[in-house]
Amino acid sequence: MTSPVVVGVDGGASGKDALLLGRWAADTLDEPLIVAVVHPAPSAIGSGRVDAEWVADRHRAAEAVLEGARTVLKDLPGEVEYRSVASSSAAHGLHDLAEEVQAEAIVVGSGRTAPKQRLFAGSTAERLLAGSHCPIAVAPSEMPASPGGKGRIGVAYVDTPDGRAALDEAAKLARRTGAKLRLYTVVADRESTLPWLVGDDAEHAFLDTARETYEESLTRAAAAVDGVEVDWQLLEGKVSAALAELDEVDVLVCGSRGYGPARRVLLGGVSTRLVRGARVPVVVVPRSG
């Protein structure tokens, strides 16, 4: 049974980035590609004629978006299925389609540049992060026409359930593609801490302990991955900014929740900030538990 890669587009500039990432992901994973646009479904309550005319207009807009997607992908190899989905929201429609086809992943753009006529308001990428049952891949702005080629999968790792889920997903992807795996953890640099609040010596001792703890955690995690060449790197700075600057991996896999027991070292909300500013595609693994 196949597990297609589903790409959600809405006519915005980031749709091209999502299409290029989706095409690459489907080819890399040897899975089918489905390009989908979600348009509003008829309202259960409302003026019948007005509602029908509005829905028909939105359906025509959705078909125009699909035609634009065909133009982007026309010169790229591989078969593509195009679908128009009626739903109450873009995220809901993509969720339903992904469950129907048992998708390998949903791919969307970062949404930093919205189309002039939006089919739905709000960020589809961020809403998808709230409840998807499959990984969400978010394409950065200005994706190259031929993504990949670095042969390395990155994973933002902390020894928590979500961090371990991200590592498992990244390891599966590395095994399927033959890529190497690199684990990243971020600790605050000394300039980002608060010695004026707790004292310079106490803060430095805390950071040294945190660094040792995370180095041990990374070493154990790397040793536990089978069938993949693994290394790790400890970064310094603000977690989302440090991870967003990475450019030596094909994709960066992360969990969907906040990171770590030490909140000043690895703050929550990382995945949301990361998908807005990362230089490489980000794959967010579904929430565990």
Side-chain angles (χ1 to χ4, degrees):
M1 179 179 292
T2 60
S3 298
V5 173
V6 173
V7 180
V9 292
D10 64 0
S14 63
K16 180 179 179 180
D17 300 317
L19 289 166
L20 293 174
L21 178 59
R23 177 72 277 170
W24 173 77
D27 292 345
T28 301
L29 299 171
D30 194 23
E31 297 289 1
L33 179 64
I34 297 176
V35 175
V37 60
V38 184
H39 61 87
S43 174
I45 300 175
S47 172
R49 179 176 176 182
V50 173
D51 184 59
E53 290 177 352
W54 181 75
V55 169
D57 177 73
R58 297 294 81 199
H59 185 267
R60 286 191 294 270
E63 290 299 322
V65 171
L66 287 182
E67 192 58 37
R70 290 185 179 94
T71 300
V72 171
L73 296 176
K74 68 178 181 179
D75 295 327
L76 298 180
E79 300 248 347
V80 186
E81 179 183 351
Y82 295 90
R83 292 202 189 188
S84 179
V85 179
S87 184
S88 58
S89 75
H92 192 185
L94 291 174
H95 279 157
D96 288 347
L97 176 59
E99 288 189 6
E100 175 192 337
V101 302
Q102 298 184 353
E104 181 76 23
I106 300 173
V107 181
V108 291
S110 61
R112 280 175 283 176
T113 52
K116 292 180 180 179
Q117 282 193 318
R118 307 199 71 176
L119 293 172
F120 293 99
S123 169
T124 299
E126 291 178 16
R127 294 188 183 200
L128 281 169
L129 298 182
S132 177
H133 296 291
C134 69
I136 306 299
V138 183
S141 179
E142 300 181 358
M143 276 285 295
S146 300
K150 295 165 186 167
R152 177 174 281 118
I153 306 298
V155 54
Y157 181 77
V158 181
D159 191 15
T160 64
D162 278 60
R164 291 189 290 273
L167 176 57
D168 289 344
E169 191 67 33
K172 286 194 297 183
L173 182 59
R175 292 188 192 100
R176 291 183 65 175
T177 61
K180 299 176 182 178
L181 192 63
R182 176 167 291 171
L183 283 61
Y184 297 95
T185 295
V186 185
V187 275
D189 55 30
R190 298 190 187 277
E191 288 73 24
S192 301
T193 56
L194 305 173
W196 55 269
L197 183 63
V198 298
D200 188 79
D201 290 342
E203 191 68 20
H204 288 180
F206 169 80
L207 288 176
D208 290 341
T209 300
R211 177 180 291 276
E212 292 175 6
T213 299
Y214 284 117
E215 287 178 348
E216 292 173 0
S217 175
L218 286 165
T219 301
R220 288 195 305 270
V225 179
D226 296 323
V228 179
E229 185 176 336
V230 189
D231 62 10
W232 57 264
Q233 186 174 349
L234 196 64
L235 305 175
E236 287 191 353
K238 293 183 178 179
V239 59
S240 55
L243 294 174
E245 285 300 310
L246 296 174
D247 61 2
E248 69 265 26
V249 296
D250 289 321
V251 297
L252 179 65
V253 183
C254 69
S256 57
R257 292 180 179 170
Y259 294 87
R263 293 182 59 85
R264 283 183 298 121
V265 178
L266 291 172
L267 301 175
V270 171
S271 59
T272 301
R273 292 193 293 273
L274 192 54
V275 299
R276 295 173 181 163
R279 298 175 65 181
V280 300
V282 175
V283 177
V284 183
V285 177
R287 294 175 183 268
S288 57

